[in-house]
Amino acid sequence: MRAYKPAVPFATCMKLLTPEYQTVKGVRKPVYPDPAEVDKKFWGTFRSFGGTESMENDIYTVIATGYIDTWYRSDIRPDCRIHICASSATYEILGEPEDINMRHQYMKIRVRKAGGRA
């Protein structure tokens, strides 16, 4: 079995936005910090492949999705967001981040751009 090796170096700076939860009218809601105030930087690669095409109610949309490869970090969880420093774009994590080969060395994360939807 060949071990996973990233195809390109981890050269994109990112920030991890960990939510704090507030209870509003009995419902827990996540509150994300401003990326300018966050010091949790990490490096990885970001690939978008042009997004994901979707057809709902006869309306064609392209959803900004992508993949992030990075070093394994146990603090990256599905409820976190990732801010790309170079583009100032913030992405939500889709599903559970993948611990490649369960070795705690590399991670693959599927993301979708946070914000309004078409």
Side-chain angles (χ1 to χ4, degrees), residues 14 17 19 21 28 39 55 66 75 83 85 89 109 117:
M14 303 176 206
L17 306 177
Y21 286 90
R28 285 185 69 203
D39 292 329
M55 183 69 101
D75 59 344
H83 179 78
C85 298
I109 307 163
R117 303 281 182 258

Side-chain angles (χ1 to χ4, degrees), residues 28-47:
R28 285 185 69 203
K29 294 193 178 222
V31 177
Y32 294 93
D34 181 13
E37 300 172 3
V38 175
D39 292 329
K40 292 183 181 181
K41 290 183 181 178
F42 65 98
W43 296 87
T45 60
F46 178 80
R47 296 169 293 151

